[in-house]
Amino acid sequence: MKIEKYKYIGLGKYKVLISGKEYIIYEDVIIKYNILSKNYIEEQDLKLFLKDNSYYEAYYLALKQINTKMRTPKEIIKILEKKEYKQEIIKSVVKKLQEEGYLSDKSYTKAYIYDQINLKNKGPIKIKKELLQEGIDENLIDTELEIFTKSLQEDKIKKYIKTQINLNTNKSANMLKNKILMSLIEKGYYKTDIENCLEAFKFDDSKIYQKEYKKAYDKMSKKYTGTILEYKIKNYMYQKGFEVK
């Protein structure tokens, strides 16, 4: 088979024309087999080149994914399987990346926990669940989660509670507390820790009560009067979570 021409196309790849058929071959393969110094190659050699080329293609694809964000071996395997690379190539690529330090469960876990605490404000329960789903060893997760101390968790919870209190314009104290509790449980914090932190805050909904009462009265007094009006307003306030005065 005749090597008719070749051209470097960037990103470590060459376009090579062999017996009228065009191939994109990685520079690693070109150098390894000294292809550009040859005029002819045997068909079995071409198959060998292309097998190696598939390996480097998978390797650089995985490396690109890792450069976007840290990945686990499990993630890289899924990505390469989706691209339908052979299992032997996938295993070789993952092994090489691990040997080069690009794939490390410990490094990934450290970075993941840091990001979830500081950027996503997630609690330890959710962080652990997500890492387990990524195939990370539970003992490793527990060890690395030690940086998320009880004190730090309480600080995060209290900061969230304070923010929600300041943003609240229409919820009763009871309803707001319940909303905060459910939201923080969803974020992965422990229920008892949330409840303990909630006790440290004063929830004053008197102004909101007056606002909601007036809103209900203005609307319902157009249709009802007397005890019926009073009943309708009380029912509305109960539904809003207020203790009717």
Side-chain angles (χ1 to χ4, degrees), residues 10 19 23-24 33 38 40 62 74 81 88 106 111 136 146 149 157 165-166 175 178 187 209-210 216 221 237:
S19 296
Y23 299 90
I24 303 299
Y33 295 103
K38 304 176 186 292
Y40 292 90
K74 184 178 178 180
E81 284 179 340
E88 61 178 307
K106 185 173 182 178
I136 305 297
E146 288 176 4
T149 61
I157 292 170
I165 290 174
N166 291 336
M175 192 172 285
N178 188 58
K187 287 178 180 294
Y209 179 94
Q210 292 172 6
S221 62
M237 297 301 284

Side-chain angles (χ1 to χ4, degrees), residues 34-217:
N34 199 21
I35 293 174
L36 300 187
S37 67
K38 304 176 186 292
N39 293 320
Y40 292 90
I41 59 170
E42 298 296 330
E43 186 174 350
Q44 61 267 26
D45 290 333
L46 177 60
K47 289 180 180 179
L48 180 61
F49 298 164
L50 295 180
K51 181 180 178 181
D52 266 16
N53 199 61
S54 183
Y55 164 81
Y56 283 107
E57 184 180 69
Y59 171 79
Y60 286 116
L61 171 61
L63 204 56
K64 183 179 178 181
Q65 296 296 318
I66 293 169
N67 287 335
T68 303
K69 77 179 190 76
M70 293 194 75
R71 306 277 183 175
T72 63
K74 184 178 178 180
E75 281 185 292
I76 293 300
I77 289 170
K78 283 184 178 180
I79 290 168
L80 296 181
E81 284 179 340
K82 192 173 180 180
K83 293 291 183 178
E84 298 183 347
Y85 288 102
K86 293 180 179 179
Q87 283 299 316
E88 61 178 307
I89 288 177
I90 294 174
K91 289 179 182 177
S92 296
V93 167
V94 169
K95 183 180 178 182
K96 181 176 175 64
L97 290 169
Q98 287 175 323
E99 290 172 349
E100 293 174 336
Y102 291 115
L103 280 181
S104 164
D105 280 351
K106 185 173 182 178
S107 297
Y108 178 88
T109 303
K110 279 179 177 288
Y112 189 89
I113 290 172
Y114 179 86
D115 285 348
Q116 301 310 304
I117 293 173
N118 295 289
L119 302 180
K120 302 293 181 66
N121 196 26
K122 291 181 183 177
I125 298 172
K126 191 164 189 176
I127 292 173
K128 182 173 181 177
K129 181 181 177 182
E130 291 175 348
L131 284 169
L132 286 171
Q133 289 172 344
E134 293 290 345
I136 305 297
D137 180 75
E138 185 173 6
N139 291 328
L140 174 59
I141 298 170
D142 290 339
T143 298
E144 298 303 328
L145 265 176
E146 288 176 4
I147 66 164
F148 202 0
T149 61
K150 278 288 183 184
S151 176
L152 180 55
Q153 290 175 42
E154 287 177 3
D155 287 344
K156 293 284 184 182
I157 292 170
K158 287 178 179 179
K159 184 177 179 180
Y160 182 83
I161 293 171
K162 186 176 180 180
T163 299
Q164 293 304 307
I165 290 174
N166 291 336
L167 290 174
N168 183 42
T169 60
N170 63 353
K171 288 181 175 59
S172 66
N174 289 333
M175 192 172 285
L176 180 59
K177 285 180 183 179
N178 188 58
K179 180 186 178 235
I180 290 171
L181 177 65
M182 298 310 295
S183 180
L184 286 168
I185 288 174
E186 175 66 23
K187 287 178 180 294
Y189 290 95
Y190 292 98
K191 183 180 178 182
T192 52
D193 292 341
I194 302 166
E195 290 173 336
N196 289 336
C197 289
L198 281 168
E199 289 179 4
F201 285 84
K202 181 181 179 182
F203 289 78
D204 183 4
D205 60 4
S206 56
K207 290 183 179 179
I208 297 174
Y209 179 94
Q210 292 172 6
K211 175 186 170 184
E212 290 297 317
Y213 188 94
K214 184 178 184 303
K215 177 181 172 183
Y217 180 85

Side-chain angles (χ1 to χ4, degrees), residues 229-239 244-245:
L229 173 60
E230 185 179 344
Y231 169 79
K232 291 285 185 181
I233 292 175
K234 282 185 177 181
N235 188 52
Y236 171 83
M237 297 301 284
Y238 280 132
Q239 289 176 353
V244 181
K245 302 172 182 178

